[in-house]
């Protein structure tokens, strides 16, 4: 699709995240439709199962049945040539002057406000990276002091840990405040109870669309052939539980209780107009982490907090480009030891923080470990999240008349059981 030349026959609001340049995939259901694949376009969802049934989505390697599945996994498994062909075909059907959808318009286009969005993919495995230098430095300063802010390995490899896939939930799912062990600095022993330092983490995750075998390595040149698309990712964190448990093996109960994702998977192709050069990396990386081309993306991100029955306050404005390690380096490192990938695997970026204080991607940083208050519009203050706070993350970019967005990922923190 020639992005600059595209215009749809469908009326799309000027501020919509879901333009004809985007065409993100999701799984939806409604009162009269079972779970199925759809594409967001303007204020509507285009029913791909219906289009496939009517023979409007055909091509080499295509299996029309995949659009009636509960998840996108089987569609993704058909491979990049099929993804590209389907995306091109959908764009063709929606482009000004095309009349092929005329007979199916009323049935094929479902108002987005009338559907329920479901988890778009079945996530078999989840990896959380730690790829923002500013975030890693901020956390290091708080816990180890400025002289030891970054660990010795940080600029030599994309640090990551394997998280819990079963507790990744779609936007709109309530999150229950977790309980666990915590230990105050002056306490002789730990105690058990609800986390008092609940936090969000602003992240972007990519979804694997092409599997590999054990022992197979993916180079930085090959990495993007395995990446289907992206979602916004809120990696909820219980900072006090995490602080007590994380040494020596890292996050466990402080992280595995919940992560939230946006329901629409934005294809990698949709981000093409927003590619930019990556961050300068020093010292020089090892050969398997070197790459060619541009694999960073200039996409503004924001986080807002809304108290119960209150007004929304934007507390963070960051950008996808604020990552030291790019997606190709992340995937190359993930598989350099022969670790196999499965379709539907999710790889999160880690908290994305910028240099300015209002671009820090977590309350841990915004409040500097709870020392500084973050003021909300209603006059209240936050150092960490309170019960019944809602956290909303958004992301989107515009350039040369092309706009794409992720929609939002939203979650409400409920009191502990």
């Amino acid at each position: 699709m020639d992005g600059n030349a595209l215009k749809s026959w469908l009326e799309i609001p000027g501020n919509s995240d879901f333009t004809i340049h985007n065409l993100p995939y999701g799984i939806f259901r409604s009162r009269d439709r079972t779970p199925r694949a759809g594409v967001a376009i303007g204020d509507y969802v285009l029913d791909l199962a219906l289009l496939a049934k009517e023979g409007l989505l055909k091509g080499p390697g295509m299996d029309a049945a995949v659009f009636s599945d509960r998840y996108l996994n089987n569609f993704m498994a058909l491979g990049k040539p099929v993804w590209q062909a389907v995306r091109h075909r959908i764009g063709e059907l929606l482009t000004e002057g095309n009349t092929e959808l005329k007979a199916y318009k009323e049935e094929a286009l479902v108002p987005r406000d009338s559907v329920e969005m479901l988890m778009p993919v079945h996530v078999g495995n989840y990896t959380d990276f730690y790829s923002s230098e500013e975030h890693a430095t901020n956390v290091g300063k708080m816990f180890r002091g400025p002289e030891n802010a970054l660990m010795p390995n940080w600029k030599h490899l994309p640090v990551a840990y394997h998280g819990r896939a079963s507790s990744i939930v779609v936007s709109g799912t309530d999150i229950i405040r977790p309980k666990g062990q915590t230990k105050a600095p002056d306490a002789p022993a730990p105690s058990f109870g609800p986390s008092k330092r609940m936090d969000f983490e602003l992240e972007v995750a990519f979804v694997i669309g092409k599997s590999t075998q054990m022992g197979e390595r993916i180079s930085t040149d090959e990495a993007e052939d395995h990446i289907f698309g992206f979602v916004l990712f809120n990696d909820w964190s219980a900072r006090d539980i995490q602080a007590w448990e994380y040494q020596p093996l890292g996050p466990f109960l402080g992280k595995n209780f919940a992560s939230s994702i946006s329901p629409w998977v934005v294809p990698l192709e949709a981000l093409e107009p927003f590619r930019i050069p990556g961050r300068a990396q020093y010292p020089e990386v090892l050969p398997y982490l070197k790459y060619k081309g541009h694999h960073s993306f200039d996409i503004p991100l924001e986080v807002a907090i809304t108290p119960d029955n209150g007004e929304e306050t934007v507390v963070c404005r960051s950008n996808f480009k604020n990552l030291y390690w790019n997606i190709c380096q992340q995937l190359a490192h993930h598989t350099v030891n022969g670790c196999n990938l499965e379709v539907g695997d999710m790889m999160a970026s880690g908290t994305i923080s910028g240099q300015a204080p209002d671009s820090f991607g977590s309350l841990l940083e915004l409040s500097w470990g709870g020392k500084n208050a973050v003021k909300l519009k209603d006059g209240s203050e936050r150092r960490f999240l309170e019960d019944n706070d809602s956290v909303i993350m958004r992301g989107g970019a515009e350039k040369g008349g092309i706009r794409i967005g992720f929609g939002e990922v939203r979650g409400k923190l409920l009191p502990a059981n």
Side-chain angles (χ1 to χ4, degrees):
M1 294 186 294
D2 180 1
N4 287 314
L6 283 183
K7 187 175 180 182
S8 179
W9 50 260
L10 181 67
E11 185 176 346
I12 298 173
N15 63 347
S16 177
D17 279 355
F18 306 127
T19 64
I20 195 170
H21 306 105
N22 192 348
L23 305 180
Y25 296 93
I27 297 291
F28 76 99
R29 68 181 170 196
S30 65
R31 186 180 59 185
D32 60 345
R33 301 182 201 223
T34 56
R36 60 190 60 200
V39 159
I41 180 71
D43 293 331
Y44 296 90
V45 178
L46 184 63
D47 187 334
L48 298 186
L50 184 145
L51 296 190
K53 178 183 175 183
E54 299 298 337
L56 292 171
L57 298 178
K58 292 181 178 178
M62 174 53 60
D63 177 3
V66 297
F67 298 114
S68 297
D69 287 348
R70 171 60 183 81
Y71 298 104
L72 293 171
N73 294 51
N74 287 333
F75 168 57
M76 296 189 293
L78 295 177
K80 189 172 183 176
V82 175
W83 315 337
Q84 292 176 324
V86 170
R87 176 175 164 78
H88 182 272
R89 176 60 175 154
I90 293 169
E92 187 177 64
L93 290 170
L94 291 169
T95 298
E96 189 176 48
N98 189 297
T99 60
E100 294 177 79
L101 270 181
K102 186 175 181 181
Y104 310 101
K105 179 180 174 182
E106 296 300 321
E107 190 178 0
L109 289 167
V110 187
R112 276 197 297 114
D113 60 8
S114 71
V115 306
E116 178 188 1
M117 297 305 300
L118 306 174
M119 275 291 291
V121 298
H122 174 71
V123 183
N125 304 284
Y126 154 51
T127 299
D128 193 24
F129 285 91
Y130 192 51
S131 291
S132 165
E133 182 178 1
E134 284 75 19
H135 173 67
T137 300
N138 288 338
V139 174
K141 285 179 179 177
M142 277 184 254
F143 289 97
R144 294 183 298 275
E147 65 282 354
N148 296 307
L150 285 181
M151 298 295 281
N153 66 346
W154 200 90
K155 287 200 170 183
H156 292 277
L157 57 87
V159 174
Y161 73 94
H162 292 286
R164 182 74 180 175
S166 65
S167 54
I168 299 177
V169 295
V170 74
S171 176
T173 305
D174 292 337
I175 307 300
I176 299 171
R177 183 180 291 270
K179 293 180 178 179
Q181 285 192 31
T182 61
K183 182 181 179 299
D186 56 349
S191 59
F192 175 82
S195 169
K196 296 182 176 68
R197 292 193 157 207
M198 275 296 297
D199 200 358
F200 60 79
E201 289 192 341
L202 171 62
E203 307 191 25
V204 174
F206 61 85
V207 180
I208 295 298
K210 181 181 179 182
S211 62
T212 61
Q213 299 297 315
M214 285 182 64
E216 182 180 350
R217 295 165 49 178
I218 298 172
S219 70
T220 55
D221 289 339
E222 300 165 328
E224 289 193 358
D225 290 337
H226 295 261
I227 297 174
F228 177 75
F230 298 81
V231 294
L232 297 176
F233 194 96
N234 181 0
D235 193 18
W236 300 87
S237 298
R239 298 296 186 187
D240 43 359
I241 295 174
Q242 181 183 359
W244 172 235
E245 74 180 359
Y246 85 104
Q247 295 188 49
L249 292 181
F252 187 33
L253 302 187
K255 293 278 196 177
N256 69 2
F257 61 95
S259 300
S260 302
I261 66 168
S262 51
W264 295 106
V265 184
V266 175
L268 175 60
E269 282 186 78
L271 303 188
E272 288 293 335
F274 309 101
R275 284 187 185 269
I276 58 172
R279 298 274 289 267
Q281 295 183 331
Y282 181 82
E284 184 178 4
V285 299
L286 290 171
Y288 79 94
L289 290 171
K290 292 181 178 179
Y291 64 93
K292 302 170 187 173
H294 297 169
H295 302 285
S296 295
F297 302 91
D298 184 4
I299 300 176
L301 307 166
E302 70 175 32
V303 184
I305 296 174
T306 303
D308 196 26
N309 298 316
E311 187 178 359
E312 176 183 302
T313 302
V314 174
V315 297
C316 162
R317 287 185 172 89
S318 187
N319 195 300
F320 194 11
K321 68 182 180 183
N322 292 330
L323 291 177
Y324 186 89
W325 298 103
N326 66 48
I327 56 176
C328 296
Q329 292 176 310
Q330 291 170 351
L331 207 50
H333 183 68
H334 198 301
T335 61
V336 74
N337 68 341
C339 174
N340 58 310
L341 300 178
E342 296 181 342
V343 171
D345 286 357
M346 193 161 285
M347 314 289 178
S349 61
T351 304
I352 304 175
S353 295
Q355 296 181 349
D358 66 352
S359 69
F360 295 165
S362 66
L363 278 175
L364 177 69
E365 297 165 87
L366 291 167
S367 71
W368 207 254
K371 294 178 181 177
N372 306 320
V374 177
K375 295 187 180 298
L376 304 187
K377 286 183 179 179
D378 64 1
S380 63
E381 297 179 343
R382 295 292 184 277
R383 287 172 170 81
F384 293 96
L385 295 171
E386 295 186 1
D387 287 345
N388 299 309
D389 281 348
S390 292
V391 176
I392 308 100
M393 296 179 177
R394 303 184 181 95
E398 191 166 352
K399 180 181 179 182
I402 296 175
R403 176 173 173 77
I404 67 100
F406 290 84
E408 66 178 30
V409 53
R410 175 186 296 263
K412 185 173 185 177
L413 180 64
L414 300 184
N417 286 334

